[in-house]
Amino acid sequence: MSPSRGRFITLEGGEGAGKTTQIARLRDWLEARGVRSIATREPGGSPGAEAIRKLLVEGAADRWDGTTEALLHYAARRDHLRATVRPALAAGTWVVCDRFADSTLAYQGFGHGLDRDSIARLHLVAIGDFRPDLTVMLDLPVAAGLARAAARRGAETRYESLAADFHERVRAGFLAIAAAEPERCAVVDATRDADAVAADIAQIVARRLGLT
Ligand code: TMP
């Protein structure tokens, strides 16, 4: 008998929202319920997409315009899905992903002003109608997030070096996406300590994806 398909959960949010910590916590919680999972990330998550990631996260802020960035993110996303995500889901493994298509809409769309229709067309060309089963948006004020991110970052400073008003548009973008698709998305207040955030996420996953 073939295993049932795994679920695809994405965590989204601005810089320094705590996604990495929460992904590890969520995987522990899934494992305790007998659910096999992998963690992955975008841009990246496959050898090809990790090579594209370096082009995106290093160098000067004006290295690419919004359209080129969106093309690179979707090129990486297509490879990531083909090489990592789809095979895992097909094998019954759940996939917990740090960022996905909502980041393109928030950063390249709301942040850089690329129009929504172009991004939707790009999505269709690159990955068809593929969507997460559940998206958790970790929300916190821009200044708090940038301060957390600055404390830990090495060479990957390209996006953080963009102006604060860019990050404000990104934050508003994630909240607008969540409001437009409430059945797929849930917003979690990420200003609280990691335990409180993890408990919220576990409750959302339990309720929406039918785990106890
Ligand atoms: P990370 O810091 O969460 O690893 O993500 C790297 C940067 O890439 C982050 O600043 C957000 C940005 N990004 C986009 O601009 N568009 C996208 O589609 C994705 C996935 C990430």
Side-chain angles (χ1 to χ4, degrees):
M1 195 178 82
S2 66
S4 63
R5 180 187 172 277
R7 301 299 194 104
F8 185 51
I9 302 172
T10 59
L11 266 75
E12 297 277 9
E15 310 302 315
K19 291 181 281 92
T20 310
T21 305
Q22 292 304 327
I23 285 170
R25 299 285 294 260
L26 176 56
R27 290 194 63 220
D28 289 345
W29 185 86
L30 289 170
E31 189 183 345
R33 276 145 196 86
V35 175
R36 191 175 63 245
S37 72
I38 59 166
T40 186
R41 68 169 181 180
E42 291 207 345
S46 62
E50 289 290 335
I52 296 171
R53 177 186 176 95
K54 281 185 77 65
L55 298 173
L56 282 160
V57 298
E58 296 181 8
D62 62 357
R63 185 179 187 185
W64 314 111
D65 72 0
T67 303
T68 305
E69 269 188 32
L71 288 162
L72 288 169
H73 279 295
Y74 267 103
R77 184 160 300 133
R78 180 179 171 80
D79 190 71
H80 179 218
L81 280 186
R82 193 183 55 81
T84 304
V85 177
R86 288 192 202 273
L89 295 176
T93 301
W94 290 37
V95 177
V96 184
C97 190
D98 185 339
R99 298 194 183 283
F100 192 63
D102 296 319
S103 279
T104 309
L105 196 49
Y107 281 79
Q108 284 66 53
F110 286 83
H112 282 303
L114 187 60
D115 78 276
R116 234 188 145 101
D117 282 353
S118 301
I119 294 174
R121 285 203 297 275
L122 203 48
H123 186 105
L124 214 56
V125 170
I127 63 169
D129 62 0
F130 189 91
R131 300 255 176 244
D133 296 296
L134 173 66
T135 296
V136 176
M137 310 266 186
L138 296 179
D139 182 59
L140 86 170
V142 166
L146 287 177
R148 277 194 205 168
R152 61 154 200 255
R153 207 53 78 119
E156 296 189 346
T157 56
R158 189 170 158 258
Y159 281 94
E160 283 156 37
S161 63
L162 288 161
D165 66 328
F166 173 86
H167 293 286
E168 293 290 356
R169 291 196 298 278
V170 169
R171 182 185 187 196
F174 281 126
L175 294 175
I177 294 166
E181 291 184 69
E183 60 302 317
R184 173 173 68 86
C185 303
V187 179
V188 170
D189 174 2
T191 58
R192 298 164 306 151
D193 65 59
D195 286 347
V197 175
D200 268 17
I201 294 173
Q203 196 182 45
I204 289 163
V205 173
R207 198 170 56 234
R208 299 214 185 181
L209 299 181
L211 290 178
T212 47

